[in-house]
Amino acid sequence: MTTRARPLIAIPARFATSTSALRHAAEVNARALIEAVWRAGGEPASIHPADSDVAARLARFDGVLLPGGGDLAPHLYGAADTHDTVYDVDDLQDTFDLQVARSALESSVPLLAICRGLQVVNVALGGTLHQDMGGPEREHRHVVHPVTIRQSSLLARVVGVEKAEVSCYHHQRVDHPGTGLEVTATAMDGTIEALELPYTRGWFTAVQWHPEDTAHEDPAQQALFDALVKAARRN
């Protein structure tokens, strides 16, 4: 009996200046993220950020996952100045991720965007970001907090709940959503925690939190990866 092939999920790699086990700079993705895709039945494949024909490269994949990472360059969303908390900006990473987001949405490849990934999609569609959320009372780093999910959203259907405890690590957030994007989850302080394109032809949802952090123990978070891989099987 032939084993059914796992859907191939493209995950743009993140540049790292160093890692503990390698002598040089590296391209990485979080192990928890990779394992969540694998548990869902997908074949996670990190792809090299390069100035190339991104649409052609994505054509071989069944789905795309845009992961977390450093900040986007503020000029990409029209900011005149750069806040002193902005970190790990890389022009090639930004260009590549924006091309991946646009190509995936235009070709209707199933797309799950996480943290920076959500911000990339928002900027790709003309939205803007708050460069820094402010003092300790508004920080969303190393915290688990509740979010409220819009009942009619794809996100709600996927995770099966209207309120969820989510793991966050971000100091930026959406200011104005991009064209066509609708808010599908918020934190108690009003931070936009999820976005969707309700009239897109393909499967797409984006969350500001990191579902991979708790997916191994929280079925609602693992369900995001399960739904991506399920959609990729149909693609």
Side-chain angles (χ1 to χ4, degrees), residues 17-227:
T17 56
S18 65
T19 61
S20 60
L22 301 176
R23 296 177 297 118
H24 305 289
E27 293 185 7
V28 300
N29 266 308
R31 181 172 177 178
L33 191 77
I34 298 298
E35 290 180 343
V37 173
W38 183 261
R39 277 195 304 270
E43 183 69 64
S46 292
I47 57 174
H48 172 58
D51 186 9
S52 60
D53 187 344
V54 172
R57 291 178 65 191
L58 290 185
R60 73 182 66 185
F61 293 95
D62 304 300
V64 176
L65 196 163
L66 267 174
D71 293 334
L72 283 158
H75 71 84
L76 293 171
Y77 46 92
D81 301 307
T82 299
H83 196 278
D84 60 11
T85 60
V86 171
Y87 70 98
D88 282 357
V89 170
D90 186 285
D91 290 340
L92 177 55
Q93 187 89 74
D94 288 350
T95 299
F96 185 73
D97 282 7
L98 288 166
Q99 290 176 339
V100 167
R102 293 181 181 118
S103 294
L105 291 173
E106 288 169 4
S107 62
S108 300
V109 174
L111 172 63
L112 171 62
I114 292 173
C115 197
R116 168 189 162 95
L118 174 146
Q119 295 171 5
V120 167
V121 171
N122 190 55
V123 171
L125 294 177
T128 60
L129 306 175
H130 286 290
Q131 292 188 47
D132 185 75
M133 293 171 61
E137 75 279 6
R138 293 189 297 279
E139 289 180 346
H140 285 226
R141 293 189 178 213
H142 293 304
V143 296
V144 174
H145 67 62
V147 297
T148 300
I149 300 170
R150 200 178 76 190
Q151 187 174 10
S152 60
S153 64
L154 169 64
L155 179 61
R157 296 196 298 273
V158 167
V159 300
V161 296
E162 294 180 29
K163 291 188 181 295
E165 293 290 326
V166 302
S167 175
C168 286
Y169 187 89
H170 60 93
H171 75 107
Q172 298 188 327
R173 62 183 172 188
V174 171
D175 180 11
H176 296 293
T179 302
L181 288 168
E182 293 188 1
V183 177
T184 54
T186 55
M188 293 180 66
D189 65 358
T191 295
I192 293 172
E193 293 284 352
L195 294 170
E196 287 175 16
L197 280 168
Y199 302 110
T200 187
R201 290 178 294 123
W203 187 96
F204 163 70
T205 192
V207 296
Q208 181 61 73
W209 68 86
H210 285 272
E212 72 272 19
D213 288 357
T214 54
H216 64 287
E217 60 185 6
D218 183 348
Q221 302 307 310
Q222 179 61 39
L224 280 163
F225 302 97
D226 296 345

